[in-house]
Structures are given as C-alpha cells and as structure tokens.
Amino acid sequence: MTAAINTPMMPELDEDGLIVDPLQWTEETARVIAQELNVTPLTEDHWLVIYSLRDYFIKFGAAPAMNTVCHRLGKDKFWIHELFQSCLNAWRISGLPNPGEEAKSYLSDM
C-alpha cells in the first residue's frame, strides 16, 4: 500500500498503510483504502467484520484473534482472509492503528 492516498481528506497512514489516529476514520476512509487494496466493493459482510474489529479494539485496545471474530460471527476461520485477501487488510480498512510487529506478522500470515 502506498502513502499516495494520504491527502487532506484522508487520515495520515504509517509506512504499513495503517491509520495513525483511528478517531479520524470514516466509512469513506474505509472505501478509499479498500479500493487502494483492490478489496471492492465492500459488502455487508465486509462491514460486519469492519465494525466487529473496531468494536473489539475500542473495548480492549488490542487486535482480536481473527479466528475468534469468525467464530463469533458463525463463519469458518478463513472467512476474513477470503473477504479482505489478508487479515492485515481487514485491519487497515477498519481504520485501526499499528498493532505492533508481532500482531502484524500474525495478521499477515492468516
């Protein structure tokens, strides 16, 4: 992901394409990032994941286990990866900040 989508209308992204300030995230931000990552169109299932990730992060301040998110939503453990091409893309599109190197490697390998 390139930093090219950093504009006055877009929140600042770090070198990994992760939002710096999650409070600046909007649904339009999600659509732009998804388009940049070729994860379009965002369907109802995408939004379900996006808001599940955001709710978990707001509540616990950490990345949830993606298997747990899938299980809680009644889906198989590969569902998020199939929707977003990677769990890290789901994290990016959800407008959540850099979860740290260990979590990023976990999110990338799913």
Side-chain angles (χ1 to χ4, degrees):
M1 177 159 196
T2 66
I5 64 172
N6 284 340
T7 68
M9 297 178 60
M10 281 293 296
E12 181 183 356
L13 302 178
D14 70 12
E15 64 278 355
D16 294 315
L18 294 155
I19 198 165
V20 173
D21 179 1
L23 296 177
Q24 293 183 347
W25 179 89
T26 65
E27 288 187 356
E28 183 58 28
T29 302
R31 288 184 190 93
V32 171
I33 294 170
Q35 184 173 11
E36 188 77 14
L37 295 170
N38 295 316
V39 180
T40 55
L42 293 178
T43 65
E44 187 175 318
D45 282 344
H46 287 97
W47 290 111
L48 186 61
V49 172
I50 290 166
Y51 279 105
S52 292
L53 292 175
R54 290 186 63 78
D55 290 347
Y56 188 97
F57 183 81
I58 289 166
K59 187 173 182 178
F60 299 105
M66 294 298 179
N67 291 346
T68 303
V69 174
C70 292
H71 179 73
R72 191 173 53 209
L73 297 173
K75 305 293 184 178
D76 74 47
K77 66 181 184 174
F78 301 107
W79 181 62
I80 291 175
H81 191 275
E82 291 166 0
L83 285 172
F84 292 91
Q85 303 166 5
S86 77
C87 293
L88 186 55
N89 281 349
W91 193 256
R92 288 178 176 125
I93 294 167
S94 297
L96 298 172
N98 194 319
E101 291 306 312
E102 183 177 351
K104 272 194 317 197
S105 68
Y106 169 75
L107 291 169
S108 295
D109 291 341
M110 290 297 299

